[in-house]
Amino acid sequence: MSNGSFPPSPGRPGRRGGTLAVVLTALVPACLAGWLIWDSTGDSKSGVAPLPTADSTSIAPSRSGGASGAATRDPEGDKGDPGRSLAGKVVVIDPGHNPHNRDHTSEIARSVDIGTAKKECDTTGTATNSGYSEASFTLDVSRRVRTLLQDRGAKVVFTQDGDRAYGPCVDERAEIGNKAHADAVVSVHADGAAAGQRGFHVILPASVRGGDADTSSITAPSRRLGKRLVSGFEAATGDAPANYMGDGDGLKVRDDLGGLNLSTVPKVFIECGNMRDPKDAAQLTDAAWRQRAARGIALGITDFLNG
């Protein structure tokens, strides 16, 4: 039974099919042209950047920090800046103490010559009230610093990486930096002062001469390194210099540390905080804060090595 409409014969389009074909034929080139225009300009709503052209100009984001516009640069954030590269530089990182020292008390108690006196090979370091050891803290922060500096192209040498039975002794720690002909050495520590004493500080070598100790050539560059560390650490962590050390500038000169006395290359210690103060301890035991501390140390070293 017929309903009054007939399908088109094979190979011969009917009226409706012919109309559709004409419409598609007209639309396809227009759609293709529109897609090509979109692809060359990018989709601002989706965040897709336009493809670069010979006339395009790349504008790098500003790296000036703070409301004052001071040049506080982040070693992670400015890898593309050739002026911040550490290629060809040697940095020795000295994680203070050793997690295994506590199992070798007699070995680390033996005396070694620090040039002007005798001192124990090493110590166990301090710990928070909850038992988080300084030696664990220094290794964690030092490894984070190493990653940041290597990303900038530096060669990084460790005095120990938790891979020794104990130590090394303070005289060997200095010798590792000397033999590496390091451009900078930073010994990472945390303090064990009384509760209520808060903040970080950097220890500089005093001018000493005696036995194998002669710091006359390194006191000036070590001070410059120390100042850069104070600035970088404060910028990265937001912490203030120690409220119980020196005149509040975060710097302390000492003549009783073998790691400094025996160094022939620029070297400083940084005490990142006070493990015996509850507020400082809360930071030192926080992984996110330790990453900020590592960035501050890496920033200070980078600033020093870039002059």
Side-chain angles (χ1 to χ4, degrees), residues 184-224:
V185 184
V186 175
S187 189
V188 180
H189 288 263
D191 211 357
Q197 298 181 334
R198 298 196 59 197
F200 72 94
H201 66 278
V202 175
I203 303 173
L204 311 177
S207 180
V208 298
R209 183 176 294 179
D212 291 331
D214 183 357
T215 63
S216 57
S217 65
I218 69 162
T219 51
S222 295
R223 176 170 285 273
R224 291 196 299 272

Side-chain angles (χ1 to χ4, degrees), residues 103-126:
D103 302 319
H104 298 272
T105 53
S106 60
E107 289 91 343
I108 66 172
R110 67 183 179 86
S111 294
V112 297
D113 190 349
I114 66 168
T116 57
K118 296 278 188 177
K119 203 161 186 180
E120 61 265 70
C121 159
D122 202 0
T123 67
T124 59
T126 187

Side-chain angles (χ1 to χ4, degrees), residues 136-251:
S136 296
F137 169 82
T138 63
L139 265 181
D140 182 85
V141 171
S142 295
R143 288 166 178 166
R144 295 170 188 267
V145 173
R146 174 171 59 191
T147 298
L148 295 173
L149 294 177
Q150 287 177 336
D151 284 347
R152 301 266 330 130
K155 176 183 177 181
V156 181
V157 177
F158 266 32
T159 58
Q160 60 93 14
D161 198 2
D163 51 355
R164 297 178 58 133
Y166 64 91
C169 297
V170 294
D171 55 345
E172 185 182 351
R173 289 174 185 267
E175 188 63 17
I176 290 170
N178 298 343
K179 287 183 175 179
H181 302 289
D183 296 289
V185 184
V186 175
S187 189
V188 180
H189 288 263
D191 211 357
Q197 298 181 334
R198 298 196 59 197
F200 72 94
H201 66 278
V202 175
I203 303 173
L204 311 177
S207 180
V208 298
R209 183 176 294 179
D212 291 331
D214 183 357
T215 63
S216 57
S217 65
I218 69 162
T219 51
S222 295
R223 176 170 285 273
R224 291 196 299 272
L225 171 59
K227 287 182 175 180
R228 297 289 191 171
L229 276 180
V230 169
S231 297
F233 200 86
E234 189 170 12
T237 65
D239 288 1
N243 62 10
Y244 62 97
M245 192 69 60
D247 59 4
D249 63 357
L251 299 173

